[in-house]
Amino acid sequence: MTLLSDFTKGLFAENPLFRLVLGLCPALAVTTAAINGLWMGLATTFVLLGSNFLISLLRNVIPENVRIPAYIVVIASFVTIADQFMFAFIPSIHAALGIFVPLIVVNCIILGRAEAFAAKHPLGPSVMDGLGMGVGFTAALLIIASIREIVGAGTFFGVSLFGPNFQPAIMMILPPGGFLTLGILLSLINYWEDRQEQRSRYRRRRLAQEGHHHA
Amino acid sequence: MPEQSLFFLLISSALINNFVLIRFLGLCPFMGISRHLDTSIGMGLAVTFVMTISGAISWIINEYVLIPLDLNFLRTIAFVLVIASLVQLVELVLHKASPGLYQALGIFLPLITTNCAVLGVALLNIQELHSFVESMVFSVGAAVGWTLAIIIFAGIRQRQELVDMPPVLRGFSSAFISVGLLSIAFFGFSGFLSTS
Amino acid sequence: MTLSFILPAIGVLSGLGLLFGILLAYASKRFEVEVDPRTKEIKDALPGLNCAICGFTGCASFADAVVGDEVEITGCTAGGADVAHRLAAIMGLEAPDVEPQKAYVQCGGGIKEVARRFEYVGYADCHLANQVGGGPSACGYGCLGYGSCVPSCPYGLIKINEDGLPEIFLEDCTGCGACVEACPRGVIALLSEKNTPIIACISQDPGKVVRKACSVGCIACKICERVCPQEAISMEGNLAVIDHEKCDNCGICVEKCPTKCILTRQLAVMAAASQQRAV
């Protein structure tokens, strides 16, 4: 049960992008098209899995005072693997993602999970944590990228949705559009959170009232 | 003229292609530190220092070690090693040489390692095929632009703390919308320098 | 498939790693700073919030100052008596005579109880509101309800309730006094935890004025002073004051107060108090 919760917490409760607000640089820079967001998410998931796996395995071996450089070297190695793989097999996506592929090294999510989780937990939970965070991050990237692509270019995964006469809001695929999209999405999440809080408060009050009636 | 193009480079990296507002680099610490003005200034100074020096060292290693040995795929690992070591070194030296500054910067020093703008500058210098001097100018410009953006943004956020706001916009939501507007404002620089 | 890059790759990375490793090892020796081992122990004993209430820039600076004998070990008020005792143990000093205190809100006049003199339009900050014509509240002494105390608490224990009054989660309160400083009207005070009643009013206005402004303020009728068997209540100006040393918590004053401005210690958490008043 806890293995599953290690995975699912990365999807909603501790979604790295919407809740922990980490990994912002790639989240806004590459989400100009849904396909780019998807591949960035997959690459990050791969690196997260690999680094969590290795760091959890080596957690009792790496000395305390060199742990940060050690983690960084591990993460950088996996990033280089992902970088070379994408360069070889999907060169057009690799070109679109640009310097943000090597920048996965300093993606705060990966170093953060390595230090906060993988360094202190055994192999199984660490891998599930990495997987959950990666999938949650990918989903978040897809949401942002889809919105920006549909409104900003009129396409979805390259497929034109509204025909040739559609005037897209180009600002959406420019930097301000990225910031505004994320800001509005975060406000929707705030709204949803408030509704949850209201509902549970209402439920509690009703329960208290019913308690009084019975007494 | 080489001097004019260096000036172009400086203005371009600082304002026209501002690192955080247009290029999306260095966003995590930008959003995290910008709640108070004085901490933002401290972070900006620290970033400027590390960015400039790491840019120089990364360029040298790339030019004289990686390219001759045809080891371009090691660039990421090598650069990140340089940055991590440099930050550690700066921490050590500062702790001894200027304890006041060390205390003032506090935890921001180690945080610079994960600032994607620092690694981004190093990588962009290579991608744009800058010479050594151009790399230095580019790094300084990038750092100045980043610092400028975070100081402006900290000023905005400090005022937003006191304002009556709809509850759905609390926290990072209003912050991101504000950055979006700031980004639009910085687009005004794109017609700044005409090349005619 | 030539793998001729493997050896140079290993060589370069190892070389770089070795070079930086040696450089950093040399630097850590050359730039070594004399660190008293007690400093780390003290830093670990502190709450670690970097709230700066002690006046230093963070827990690390305070720890340095304690070891450097620049500050009293009771300086960390956010840690309270608990931390003071631990620091005394580490430094080998006598345990300080620190009585644990907690922060109590001495006002019951929220939105429902107090009239507004005018509508204040401006930043939602008690300091700023207080400067606009003496504040929008009909009572010139009581809580304004804009919550300037809320961000001052290093533990985040304060929230403004539906009546516009601060509620402090007392269980985790260490009596650091940050909220006391933050309130421009001095509504919050640090009191010992003794189970004695609290007068939820600090108004010095005469009874007639208080009656018009607030439904639960002290009107200086002196009934409490008369009925207290321990003579623990006295009038200071137009406000009743309880001597907590003399009080034995008999509760007579709570019962007899006509405006219900004296609260038992349990009701000192304001939410419960306003419910009680509704009865």
Side-chain angles (χ1 to χ4, degrees), chain B residues 44-61:
Chain B
L45 289 175
V47 165
T48 307
F49 185 64
V50 174
M51 211 182 254
T52 325
I53 299 186
S54 69
I57 300 181
S58 312
W59 191 94
I60 293 172
I61 291 183

Side-chain angles (χ1 to χ4, degrees), chain A residues 17 21-29 100 106 108 175 178-179 182, chain B residues 18-34 114-118 146 149-150 153 157 172 175-176 179-180:
Chain A
L17 189 56
V21 198
L22 295 175
L24 295 172
C25 301
L28 296 173
F100 286 96
V106 287
C108 356
F179 289 120
L182 187 56
Chain B
N18 183 285
F19 256 62
V20 65
L21 297 173
I22 311 286
R23 288 196 202 252
F24 292 119
L25 290 174
L27 267 176
C28 292
F30 181 79
M31 298 307 286
I33 309 288
S34 57
T114 57
N115 187 335
C116 33
V118 181
W146 196 89
I150 200 175
F153 192 52
R157 277 191 93 178
F172 282 110
F176 273 108
V179 188

Side-chain angles (χ1 to χ4, degrees), chain B residues 62-117:
Chain B
N62 185 64
E63 183 73 13
Y64 296 113
V65 178
L66 294 180
I67 293 183
L69 292 174
D70 200 20
L71 293 173
N72 293 322
F73 62 91
L74 280 188
R75 195 172 295 145
T76 309
I77 306 182
F79 283 8
V80 104
L81 264 181
V82 169
I83 294 172
S85 310
L86 186 66
V87 168
Q88 184 78 5
L89 186 69
V90 168
E91 242 192 285
L92 283 170
V93 173
L94 218 53
H95 194 36
K96 179 81 170 192
S98 172
L101 189 58
Y102 177 79
Q103 292 284 24
L105 289 177
I107 51 155
F108 299 141
L109 261 256
L111 270 184
I112 298 174
T113 319
T114 57
N115 187 335
C116 33

